[in-house]
Amino acid sequence: MAVVVVESPAKAKTINKYLGSDYTVLASYGHVRDLPPKDGSVEPDAGFDMKWEVAADSRKHVRAIAEALKSDDTLILATDPDREGEAISWHLKEALASSLKKGKTVRRVTFNAITKSAVTEAMSHPRDVDMELVEAYLARRALDYLVGFNLSPVLWRKLPGAKSAGRVQSVCLRLIVERELEIEAFKAREYWTVSATLATPRGQEYQARLTVLGGKKLDRYDLANETAAELAVQAVRSRDLTVKSVEAKPAARNPYPPFMTSTLQQEASRKLGMGAKACMSAAQRLYEAGHITYMRTDGIDMAPEAVMAARDAIKTRFGAEYVPDSPRMYKNKAKNAQEAHECIRPTDMMLSPDKLKAEGEQKKLYDLVWKRTIASQMAAARLERTTVDVGSADGEVELRATGQVVLFDGFLKVYDEGRDDDGDEDGARLPQIMRGETADKRAIAPEQHFTQPPPRYTEATLVKRMEELGIGRPSTYASIVTTIQDRDYVRKDKGRLVPEDKGRLVTAFLTNYFRRYVEYDFTADLENELDEISAGDRDYKEVLARFWRDFTAAIAETADLRISEVLEKIDEFLAPHLYPPRADGSDPRICPTCGEGRLNLKTARSGGAFIGCSNYPNCRYTRPLSAPNGEEAVTPDGKPLGEDAGGNPITVRAGRFGPYVQRGEATEDQPKPDRASLPKGWAADSLTLERALMLLDLPRPIGPHPDDGALVEAGIGRYGPYVKHNSTYANLPEVEEVFTIGMNRAVEVLAQKAARGGRGTGAAVAPLRELGAHPDGGPVQVMAGRYGPYVKWEKVNATLPKELTPEAVTLEEALALIAEKAAKGGKGKSGRATARTTKAKAKPKTARTAKSKKAKDS
């Protein structure tokens, strides 16, 4: 028999069904070795020697594989078919070196899909571990380690409150910060357009836009103000209009290529609202279940047999007219042949989404993959685009109407790609319009517009931009975007990525003192060098040596920097955005409160940054980095919002624990006036009086409960928004719901809390999700806890880290968390064993020893 090792138990279970009893299939549970998180794990002076150690959670998995090899002579490494998968195989081979003596055989197999045919085909074509791919991994891992363990301490010392700085994450953060600076520096420009509702002699209406005025074609800014727009309206109204031309042109739209990693993440974000991490987690589970091909790929080509299967599925489901005459072949330039994979596609084209036995995000993502794949092999859509020009006899004014008709939907019957903007299409369908006929003017209206700043990045547009710049690779996009959010450098607001103050400071620091290492071209060139290593065209230690020589010199230049120098430099760097010109022409750095002190950049112990007055503590003026420079900034003494019905002033203030609203002022009779903290996501500088009063009036009574007549209330507490009935509290998902929730919804939320077995309900706690069986027996469940969700197996409870949601966590991730908790002394089998051992070794406490201890303590 042979021992086959894959990464996850789910993958092992699927493969075991195909291979049968002649093979022992085990899981490594991801990487089994890594660099210890301490200085010295990579030694540049010793030829970049790397010191690896088997992770505590992985030791039992390595022991299980070693035990199986005692009776089996062959180890087959069947980890993922990419650079990271090759590295896991290499690590396993190294970690099992002592068990692979005496003629044991080690072979490497890869497959792009977990199907019986793909797995058995791979088993018949084994190879050795590809050391060129491994060396590319070693170079990347060493680079990330050297940057992290040498640049991060510089940040900690020179920029209080800053966290670590990753090699690629810092470049990604720069993209987000620079986009925000563009938005802040943007000056809107006014322009107007004139639209008309016209009608044919038969009474059918259509829309047209003014394109010619005074015999000249209108440019975007020609109608610069309302006066110019009104003159244009009068010019149209005063003239009779006739149809000058009607032009209909046939057009075709071809389908989009099938998914690769980056385009899958972009579409999952646009259409499903899924972040990159959630998308890849769902894709991983679909792959391990054998439903889709490997999900980390730069390739868009499809295997010939898959193309033919797709064509058969299209003919069966939609008819022969939807099958193009010849198969569609998609090709892109792979980074190198060893890492080229197929596109992401279903393994069975006849398995439509409605037949898939999966739920939630997996089902939604499979639906997206299936539709994109099927559409990629369908016939083109045939359209007719019509342009109608309507004008006056003297040629002074002319209007244009556009529209399109879909003659044959083709691939659009199944799928159309989402958009990141709201750009205009060719317009709606037009009625029948004849050349030379009159156009009756039903309505003519001017419309004001303002140019818009560039939009903030979403995860989809950020991944797209990183791909365009050559930053990162398919396997890294999700972790890059997740990491900068976990470090509180960036937050997500309504799906858009917004830099926090920490992120701005880190970017300003790195741009000033380590500019080369956050340049887009430099990072992309380094990625290309890693690809050249994996292709065997470059020596990885040579790449490391050249990088290390220049990087250490840059680190050395910052050794004597003082924190005050750093803040001054960053203040100067950000000055155009921190201190924009004032409308009255006065010095933008003069404090608007005291009129004497100068504004400058300051940092808090928490790592946040703010603008403060140099006359502190006599003047306590402060404002956040992103607030406008002016009198209305939020200060500890308060920014007035208005008055309540009783005439009490309502202010928003900057406090020790963040912004808050206050009713009235502190007096001897009322030393503690009404106050309420602003919920997360509420901006102090844009808060209105109405919103402030809503906060101050919490908790909000909803009404008497239909069962017992007791009051049901909604409020915001220590653990977020909630509804309350008697002593039962039930959390609400959104703060806004506190102000809108009605009795029906409140009763439903309270009932759900009771069904889950919340505190005081007396009901058994029901799991949020069942993940599957533990290898040692017993179910692994996701539970809702007082302090957040956690995974449970027997008596071991492991809290979910904030980057893992109850909906996205996999069995593999849960098992790793449970193993880690058990290793730290958590309850359960291992915990009970530890407890028994400790108890057996402990000496009984006698009266004498107790007396001696008491004397010693005194």
Side-chain angles (χ1 to χ4, degrees), residues 203-216:
Q204 295 170 304
E205 293 185 349
Y206 56 98
Q207 300 295 316
R209 175 172 289 189
L210 182 65
T211 55
V212 173
L213 180 65
K216 291 176 57 180

Side-chain angles (χ1 to χ4, degrees), residues 513-543:
Y513 297 104
F514 294 91
R515 170 168 285 276
R516 184 184 179 201
Y517 301 97
V518 289
E519 285 179 348
Y520 306 132
D521 289 348
F522 176 81
T523 307
D525 289 344
L526 204 51
E527 293 288 354
N528 290 332
E529 289 184 3
L530 294 172
D531 292 331
E532 289 173 359
I533 293 169
S534 66
D537 297 332
R538 191 180 286 267
D539 180 77
Y540 85 99
K541 291 192 175 181
E542 174 195 325
V543 171

